[in-house]
Amino acid sequence: MSKWQSSKQQWIYGRRLIEALRAARSGRTGPCVIKKAADSALALSVRGQSRWSRAILFGPCKPKVKLKACSRIPRHRPFLSPGKLAGAQMKGRKVRGRLRVLSRLVPGCKKLPAASVLSETADYVAALQMRVGLALSQHYARAC
Amino acid sequence: MNCGTPSPDQLRPASGLSNFNWNQSMDSLSPIFPLPASGEISSFMGNSLNSMHVNRLVQFPTDPGFAERAARYSCFSSANYGAFSGISESSGKPSRVSSSHCLKAKDSRVQLEMGDGEFGSGKEDSSVTDPASVLGESIAKKRKAAAKRKLKVTVENDLIAKKSRSTESTEIEKDSIMPKEEQNVDEKKQGKDDGAKASEPFKDYIHVRARRGQATDSHSLAERVRREKISQRMKLLQDLVPGCNKITGKALMLDEIINYVQALQRQVEFLSMKLATVNPGLDFNLENLFSKESLLNQENASFSSSLYPMENLSASINFGHQSNEESPIPFTLANGIDTHCSIGQLDSILHQAAIMQSSLDMFGSSASQVENLWDDELNTVLQSSFGQNQEIGAPSQSFHGQLSIPHMKIEL
């Protein structure tokens, strides 16, 4: 999470953004293209180390490609088999529902266990914060 | 009976039990102590001994130090309680504290301490054998506790050294788990857990020790591991999302996180759209970008300024509803910036969320016009957020209460 706040990471993101936008410039200019370019730039700066970035980059592709790309990512530790009944009771229905919503919000977290969803959201939130800050600074640079 | 007792008046207030012991001890003491002929000093010694003795006897059921003192004294006596010396180290400190505490009440400390030592040097089986049963129990408990602690330490060391698989390790832990007597289990557990985790970075399984007073079932152990992981991650998220320090409870926290993620996503899309429309040339000046790094760092810390673009963009959307062209948008942006200066800073995330809600409502009212601007992804986001807003009961209502203020400001 702290990597997103380092200026080095911001520099990397800025560079990738510029490259992506220049590449997109040749194609049709529309709002979706720019957004996708920005998304891909953000995901690229992660170098595919988090699930959501991989989901953004390889969104339309089949899961096989995803698995190939994430070979160097450390596997999730296999959990000890919990008592299923007790485990379900532990998480109330409300919490479960909200976790599901959260997993839908963060790209690529549909079928993940709760702990991974939370870690992915932490990373995603940090990345979004950096991105918003950068875009804001851009905007104010133009406005002034 | 009364020979050698200098002050029988002071003996009577003592309890009947102590009288017997006192008389016996005085009888045995008198040959040992080189008592001077003067009655005053002997009476003084007798008084001091009496008060000390009475205090001790009164105290001994509750005084843990008494066992220690008796142990020490008994070392001199013929009856050899050998184990006491080993335990004296562990309980030496509290005994010294307690002994000094009761000694403070006396007048002359030095003579009392002398008296203690010489008292112990004499053969005082009678005074020692009475609390012997109590002594035995307390010492037995201390011995057990010390042994258990030592056993635990060795077992844990073995565990860390072995690096065995999880099934075997859980069995070993179950065998060695002594139920519910330890005081320092929790500290050891955390220390050993960290050590175990740190020393086994490549293992797939995490060694867990059951805490005091909790079930040692493998299922509940695993569940506890899961829950602790999840709570760790929730704490991480709590640090990231602003304004979540006061909120306790998973459901509310998740609420806040969901709102925040949605807000960030919408912000990102708005900003990228706006930048694209404002700057059709797509010439981003890198130096210009990073000359504002200080601004960026400030904004990362607090999101008060992030509210401005939201209001700005919602103002632009208002205009966008009327005319679906792109040319008026730069004008609205300029107007928007002027209005921002008049609006004060809204610091809390609640205000931001309220603005999100208001922008959502505007979207809902004119979905057809919006669709031209946004792509399908945003629509799905909005639909999911709509559905989620209907699910949430109380928290969203708190947002509605603040809608009036941002509404007015936006309409400026």
Side-chain angles (χ1 to χ4, degrees), chain A residues 36-140:
Chain A
K36 280 184 178 166
D39 279 343
S40 56
L42 186 65
L44 274 174
S45 10
V46 192
R47 287 186 299 278
Q49 276 168 12
S50 61
R51 270 193 108 88
W52 58 265
S53 62
R54 272 173 275 138
I56 288 176
L57 289 175
F58 305 112
C61 297
K62 285 185 179 179
K64 286 182 187 175
V65 181
K66 272 190 202 172
L67 286 172
K68 270 190 189 175
C70 63
S71 57
R72 53 197 163 124
I73 278 85
R75 276 178 64 236
H76 289 289
R77 286 180 168 185
F79 300 114
L80 303 170
S81 60
K84 285 182 185 177
L85 291 173
Q89 282 167 10
M90 283 301 134
K91 299 290 166 85
R93 273 177 296 137
K94 284 187 184 177
V95 176
R96 274 261 174 231
R98 279 159 192 172
L99 272 176
R100 233 176 280 139
V101 171
L102 196 58
S103 64
R104 265 188 282 147
L105 275 182
V106 181
C109 293
K110 267 190 182 178
K111 292 176 188 175
L112 283 183
S116 348
V117 168
L118 290 176
S119 59
E120 288 295 314
T121 45
D123 208 28
Y124 189 59
V125 159
L128 279 186
Q129 279 177 349
M130 184 212 74
R131 193 170 160 189
V132 164
L134 207 66
L136 271 179
S137 65
Q138 274 183 4
H139 164 60
Y140 283 117

